[in-house]
Amino acid sequence: MGEYKIQLTVNDKKIIATAKAEESLLKFLRRNGFTEVKCGCEKGDCGTCTVIMNGKTIKSCISLAMQANGKEILTAKGLEKIEIGRKLQKSFVQHGAVQCGFCTAGMLMVAKGYIDKNPEPDKAEIRKAISGNLCRCTGYKKIVEAIYDVAAENHRLEGDINV
Ligand code: FES
Ligand code: FES
């Protein structure tokens, strides 16, 4: 199969590069230096490769690089530039929700994508939102609490502004 030139934005950086027709977005991103996007099962089962494309959370191993042509991608590194991203990173550390860290980038992306859609989730909703992402270390409780605290703090701040 052939190679095609694609253009996309990754964490506000414009990228023009060639992609093979059958190349996954995961492989394309890692080949172009975005190694913060982790490679796990490559079957859509573990969620460690999760990124946000045009505001939608996707598993990059089961998406084609070609599908990202003209799109905006956010990876875990891009979270540093976003307030909610920094809060999530801090909260994961504070709650001990990072152990081996292999799932963390994907978990952070899912958390960011979910809080954007549902700014006031309860813990059951968060558990459901991260159910497509596997973690072998934490038992999920600390991850759920880390995400919940960020959402709850945001909600409190919004309440203060609206007073
Ligand atoms: S590497 Fe993509 S879901 Fe596992
Ligand atoms: S912290 Fe090790 S897999 Fe989640």
Side-chain angles (χ1 to χ4, degrees):
M1 286 204 211
E3 286 201 346
Y4 301 87
K5 192 173 270 188
I6 63 170
Q7 185 171 337
L8 60 157
T9 306
V10 185
N11 303 333
D12 292 332
K13 191 178 165 196
K14 286 226 176 307
I15 310 286
I16 301 173
T18 54
K20 291 192 184 100
E22 72 280 14
E23 187 173 25
S24 70
L25 179 58
L26 169 64
K27 286 201 169 142
F28 173 86
L29 288 170
R30 290 184 59 84
R31 192 164 59 73
N32 283 282
F34 300 97
T35 51
E36 70 275 20
V37 186
K38 298 297 174 208
C39 180
C41 66
E42 290 192 80
K43 289 180 187 159
D45 292 334
C46 74
T48 196
C49 65
T50 303
V51 298
I52 295 178
M53 182 160 81
N54 280 16
K56 194 173 168 223
T57 306
I58 59 162
K59 291 177 177 172
S60 62
C61 70
I62 51 170
S63 308
L64 291 173
M66 301 279 289
Q67 290 174 297
N69 191 24
K71 308 268 173 61
E72 289 191 12
I73 305 284
L74 181 71
T75 74
K77 250 193 192 153
L79 290 178
E80 288 159 20
K81 296 182 191 156
I82 302 169
E83 192 183 2
I84 190 89
R86 289 192 297 273
K87 283 184 182 175
L88 282 165
Q89 287 171 331
K90 200 170 156 198
S91 188
F92 268 57
V93 173
Q94 282 171 343
H95 282 85
V98 181
Q99 287 185 24
C100 81
F102 195 71
C103 70
T104 308
M107 287 288 185
L108 287 167
M109 299 316 294
V110 167
K112 153 88 171 84
Y114 189 66
I115 290 179
D116 283 350
K117 279 202 214 98
N118 179 7
E120 298 171 35
D122 60 28
K123 288 185 184 173
E125 288 173 320
I126 293 170
R127 234 171 267 128
K128 196 170 170 200
I130 64 165
S131 62
N133 288 52
L134 303 180
C135 175
R136 290 168 303 178
C137 309
T138 63
Y140 301 99
K141 191 169 182 279
K142 293 169 181 177
I143 293 174
V144 171
E145 278 165 7
I147 299 169
Y148 180 77
D149 273 9
V150 172
E153 190 202 330
N154 270 359
H155 183 46
R156 273 198 305 277
L157 291 176
E158 270 173 33
D160 289 348
I161 290 164
N162 293 333
V163 168

